[in-house]
Amino acid sequence: MSLQLILGSSGAGKSHRLYEEMINQSRENKEMNYLVVVPEQFTMSTQRDMVAAHPNHGIMNIDILSFMRLAYRVFDELGGHDRVVLEDTGKSMILCKVVEQQLDQLNVFQSNVKKQGFIGELKSMLSEIYQYSISLERLEETITKLDHKPMLQRKLEDILTVYQGFKEYIEEQYITAEEILDVLYDKLDDSSFVRDSMICFDGFTGFT
């Protein structure tokens, strides 16, 4: 397996060069799959650009996918993912219930739970915790080191309480969108779909 980087400043034609190379190779190797992984919001425009650039105006063995769509393609191939994916509304509803159940255990947050926008802020915080793979154990370890910052310590204790309650509530029934890529990572080695494909990445300004 080899890695090739196409480098250049903004507007230098990196995407054009990449799509041109993918199209040429896909025409020469019609039995091989070619995967173009782009941010979710660029899948349609990238597909349009690839079709327009292709001499036959068709991309039979080229798939334009986001990371999430790639994950579901692998799950369709291998199975093993049957939990409901929680969208933002579902997260907010579960957080409301968890906060209500844990209200007596909250210190700093107890007086804020009824304020407008509080659950939304909590949901954003939870999403970041999942995105950066912060475990309960890591959070507990951090809390023990903050005796010199009691206010931050109490806030993190509240976050830990909510985080733990949320995880227990969704266990074995739901999964957050942020966890999908963790499941994908565990299954990638077994995927012949991925193993037998040439993959390129374009349009990303960074990765979490």
Side-chain angles (χ1 to χ4, degrees):
M1 177 168 44
S2 62
L3 173 66
Q4 179 182 357
L5 302 177
I6 299 176
L7 306 175
S9 59
S10 178
K14 300 184 296 296
S15 294
H16 178 77
R17 164 72 185 279
L18 178 63
Y19 299 162
E20 187 178 65
E21 190 164 320
M22 292 291 279
I23 288 169
N24 290 338
Q25 291 200 32
S26 71
R27 294 181 70 197
E28 294 172 4
N29 304 287
K30 296 182 179 179
E31 302 303 316
M32 189 171 185
N33 294 321
Y34 292 82
L35 309 180
V36 181
V37 182
V38 297
E40 183 73 44
Q41 66 269 27
F42 295 151
T43 52
M44 291 300 293
S45 59
T46 302
Q47 189 169 32
R48 185 177 62 244
D49 292 344
M50 292 283 283
V51 169
H54 200 289
N56 300 328
H57 299 296
I59 47 174
M60 297 300 293
N61 57 336
I62 302 176
D63 283 319
I64 289 85
L65 304 163
S66 64
F67 272 114
M68 294 295 284
R69 294 184 188 186
L70 174 62
Y72 284 114
R73 287 290 295 271
V74 172
F75 298 156
D76 286 342
E77 176 193 3
L78 300 175
H81 170 63
D82 53 4
R83 288 188 285 172
V84 176
V85 179
L86 276 176
E87 301 296 339
D88 282 350
T89 303
K91 278 185 196 171
S92 296
M93 292 174 66
I94 290 175
L95 275 173
C96 283
K97 189 172 183 64
V98 168
V99 167
E100 184 181 342
Q101 291 173 343
Q102 308 279 7
L103 194 58
D104 293 340
Q105 300 176 44
L106 301 178
N107 300 310
V108 181
F109 291 168
Q110 194 173 86
S111 59
N112 296 314
V113 293
K114 299 297 183 183
K115 289 183 179 179
Q116 187 175 359
F118 175 75
I119 293 297
E121 290 293 330
L122 205 55
K123 176 176 63 65
S124 296
M125 172 70 73
L126 200 66
S127 293
E128 288 197 39
I129 286 173
Y130 275 108
Q131 285 171 2
Y132 292 101
S133 300
I134 299 173
S135 65
L136 290 168
E137 293 74 22
R138 180 71 179 275
L139 201 50
E140 287 174 340
E141 181 185 343
T142 302
I143 289 169
T144 61
K145 298 177 181 177
L146 290 173
D147 291 337
H148 60 296
K149 294 183 178 180
M151 178 56 75
L152 177 57
Q153 190 177 52
R154 292 204 301 273
K155 284 182 179 179
L156 287 180
E157 285 171 351
D158 283 0
I159 290 171
L160 177 63
T161 298
V162 174
Y163 182 23
Q164 192 163 21
F166 183 85
K167 285 181 71 73
E168 289 173 358
Y169 191 97
I170 69 171
E171 192 175 16
E172 296 181 2
Q173 186 175 359
Y174 300 103
I175 188 172
T176 65
E178 293 81 11
E179 292 176 289
I180 291 292
L181 295 186
D182 291 330
V183 180
L184 172 63
Y185 176 80
D186 291 336
K187 291 182 173 294
L188 272 180
D189 286 346
D190 298 323
S191 172
S192 58
F193 169 70
V194 172
R195 187 166 52 249
D196 298 335
S197 298
M198 176 176 285
I199 306 171
C200 78
F201 301 92
D202 188 42
F204 294 95
T205 56
F207 294 100
T208 301

